[in-house]
Amino acid sequence: MLDDRKLAVLRAIVEDYVSTNEPVGSKALAERHNLKVSPATVRNDMAALEEEGYITQPHTSAGRVPTDKGYRLFVDRLSQVKPLSAAERRAIETFLAGAVDLDDVVTRTVRLLAQLTRQVAVVQYPTLTRSTVRHVEIVPLTERRVMLVLITNTGRVEQRVVELPEVVEDTRIAHLRAVLNASLDGCGLSAVPELVADLPERLPAEDRPAVATILSVLLETLVERHDEKIVFAGAANLAGADFTTGLRAVLEALEEQVVLMRLLGETSGDTPSALTVRIGSENPYLHGTSIVATGYGSGDNQLARLGVLGPTRMDYPVTMGAVRAVARYVSQILAAS
């Protein structure tokens, strides 16, 4: 374990390198930071940090840059995540509060995170399997066609047009809607198949063909949308970033939903709402990048994850503060809705 003085030197190196993107020398550290030691002592401390693998010397430069191990210690010993200003908090609240539905919440969230951090923002949609039924609506369109609408507690809306095998009067549609909502209201989506298995037998014989068709479409909807969906924004922020793995690999990863899902999945710890940081080689699917992520949801029910992807040379205090604040506001919006 490093002593406080060497930790202060490491912290100064990280801050300067993140700010300037230039290797940091002992003279510059002594001039810019109040380390209260001589440049010779700073050089000795830097030599010790390099020997222990926390910093390294790139090429023939006299300066040093942090390694993944150095960033890791910096984050672990971070005394304070940079809080957002009152103006930033008000802007976040106002921007997100204007969302009209879940799609709008996700779109606004990913744009906001990208703007706040100047990195790539990634937001995972709440999965249907972790959601519960809030309401089922059946809207007659024609004599033999209805719109099936499934609304979850997370605000997610699934719509399907259903072709009925026969003409069904509006009064019978209304009765079926009432029976479905009485059976499914508040239940987890994974429990829906079991709960509706005997539903046709509980209805009059003349309604059974129509309800069987509607239930078939409802269950297909749950199966087809089981895969989790991810959106991202801020790819243009990568233009000036420096990646050890190369920009191409990062862009390809952004296009692959599976890779993004795995990257976010790796950040899910024992406590879903905890802020998690994975640095460089700690990311098994995309070395040379860092990911800051956390869970969001309604109350204690963590529904999905959101975060930021960028180079290891990242302003961790600012990024961690932004990710945590935005997740908190999104959770409040979902809880209120």
Side-chain angles (χ1 to χ4, degrees), residues 49-68:
L49 289 169
E50 185 172 10
E51 186 176 347
E52 295 186 45
Y54 292 107
I55 60 176
T56 188
Q57 183 178 23
H59 313 303
T60 57
S61 168
R64 304 294 189 275
V65 300
T67 61
D68 289 354

Side-chain angles (χ1 to χ4, degrees), residues 91-126:
I92 291 173
E93 189 172 9
T94 301
F95 186 66
L96 293 181
V100 296
D101 56 23
L102 180 66
D103 287 331
D104 199 13
V105 169
V106 171
T107 300
R108 287 170 179 251
T109 298
V110 77
R111 285 170 50 202
L112 182 64
L113 259 183
Q115 291 169 4
L116 287 172
T117 63
R118 309 307 303 169
Q119 307 288 353
V120 177
V122 183
V123 178
Q124 174 190 4
Y125 266 79

Side-chain angles (χ1 to χ4, degrees), residues 1-2 6-7 9-11 13-14 17 46-56 65-78 244 277-283 288-290 312-313 316:
M1 183 61 65
L2 299 180
K6 290 186 180 66
L7 281 172
V9 172
L10 175 62
R11 185 178 299 113
I13 292 171
V14 171
Y17 182 60
M46 290 178 71
L49 289 169
E50 185 172 10
E51 186 176 347
E52 295 186 45
Y54 292 107
I55 60 176
T56 188
V65 300
T67 61
D68 289 354
K69 183 179 178 182
Y71 283 122
R72 177 79 269 163
L73 185 61
F74 172 79
V75 169
D76 290 345
R77 296 297 293 269
L78 203 58
T244 56
V277 182
R278 291 284 181 266
I279 299 170
S281 57
E282 297 170 358
N283 290 317
T289 64
S290 286
T312 53
R313 190 182 69 84
Y316 292 96

Side-chain angles (χ1 to χ4, degrees), residues 187-203:
C187 83
L189 296 194
S190 58
V192 169
E194 182 180 351
L195 291 173
V196 301
D198 65 342
L199 188 58
E201 282 68 37
R202 289 188 270 145
L203 294 170

Side-chain angles (χ1 to χ4, degrees), residues 85 91-92 151 175 190 272 324 328 330:
S85 67
I92 291 173
I151 305 172
H175 176 64
S190 58
R324 188 168 63 182
R328 187 179 298 125
V330 173

Side-chain angles (χ1 to χ4, degrees), residues 27-329:
K27 182 180 179 182
L29 283 184
E31 291 174 350
R32 293 176 192 162
H33 299 270
N34 184 24
L35 298 174
K36 298 179 181 179
V37 293
S38 67
T41 301
V42 173
R43 281 195 296 274
N44 290 336
D45 288 342
M46 290 178 71
L49 289 169
E50 185 172 10
E51 186 176 347
E52 295 186 45
Y54 292 107
I55 60 176
T56 188
Q57 183 178 23
H59 313 303
T60 57
S61 168
R64 304 294 189 275
V65 300
T67 61
D68 289 354
K69 183 179 178 182
Y71 283 122
R72 177 79 269 163
L73 185 61
F74 172 79
V75 169
D76 290 345
R77 296 297 293 269
L78 203 58
S79 59
Q80 185 178 7
V81 172
K82 185 177 180 181
L84 298 179
S85 67
E88 287 174 323
R89 291 197 300 271
R90 283 194 300 271
I92 291 173
E93 189 172 9
T94 301
F95 186 66
L96 293 181
V100 296
D101 56 23
L102 180 66
D103 287 331
D104 199 13
V105 169
V106 171
T107 300
R108 287 170 179 251
T109 298
V110 77
R111 285 170 50 202
L112 182 64
L113 259 183
Q115 291 169 4
L116 287 172
T117 63
R118 309 307 303 169
Q119 307 288 353
V120 177
V122 183
V123 178
Q124 174 190 4
Y125 266 79
T127 61
L128 283 176
T129 50
R130 298 179 196 169
S131 305
T132 60
V133 177
R134 175 178 288 176
H135 186 69
V136 178
E137 187 61 61
I138 306 174
V139 183
L141 300 177
T142 66
E143 288 184 337
R144 292 183 55 177
R145 180 181 294 175
V146 298
M147 173 76 77
L148 174 65
V149 184
L150 172 67
I151 305 172
T152 73
N153 66 317
T154 61
R156 190 162 181 171
V157 179
E158 299 291 327
Q159 299 181 113
R160 288 293 185 88
V161 174
V162 183
E163 298 287 346
L164 300 178
E166 60 188 13
V167 174
V168 181
E169 297 175 357
D170 289 355
T171 53
R172 291 162 60 193
I173 292 293
H175 176 64
L176 173 57
R177 181 194 307 121
V179 171
L180 268 176
N181 280 294
S183 302
L184 301 180
D185 182 38
C187 83
L189 296 194
S190 58
V192 169
E194 182 180 351
L195 291 173
V196 301
D198 65 342
L199 188 58
E201 282 68 37
R202 289 188 270 145
L203 294 170
E206 63 269 22
D207 289 340
R208 291 173 187 171
V211 73
T213 301
I214 291 172
L215 290 179
S216 175
V217 173
L218 174 63
L219 297 179
E220 285 176 8
T221 301
L222 297 182
V223 171
E224 288 180 9
R225 297 304 296 267
H226 180 269
D227 288 339
E228 296 164 338
K229 180 182 175 184
I230 276 188
V231 294
F232 67 89
N237 293 330
L238 298 175
D242 47 324
F243 290 99
T244 56
T245 54
L247 180 58
R248 182 184 181 89
V250 177
L251 292 174
E252 288 176 348
L254 290 178
E255 293 178 358
E256 293 291 336
Q257 292 273 318
V258 174
V259 175
L260 284 182
M261 284 303 310
R262 287 174 177 169
L263 286 169
L264 275 185
E266 289 292 327
T267 68
S268 183
D270 295 333
T271 307
S273 60
L275 194 67
T276 306
V277 182
R278 291 284 181 266
I279 299 170
S281 57
E282 297 170 358
N283 290 317
Y285 308 106
L286 199 61
H287 293 179
T289 64
S290 286
I291 299 172
V292 179
T294 188
Y296 72 90
S298 178
D300 294 330
N301 184 22
Q302 294 298 321
L303 300 168
R305 298 185 68 74
L306 60 80
V308 162
L309 169 72
T312 53
R313 190 182 69 84
M314 177 189 291
D315 191 333
Y316 292 96
V318 168
T319 302
M320 293 162 70
V323 169
R324 188 168 63 182
V326 170
R328 187 179 298 125
Y329 279 112

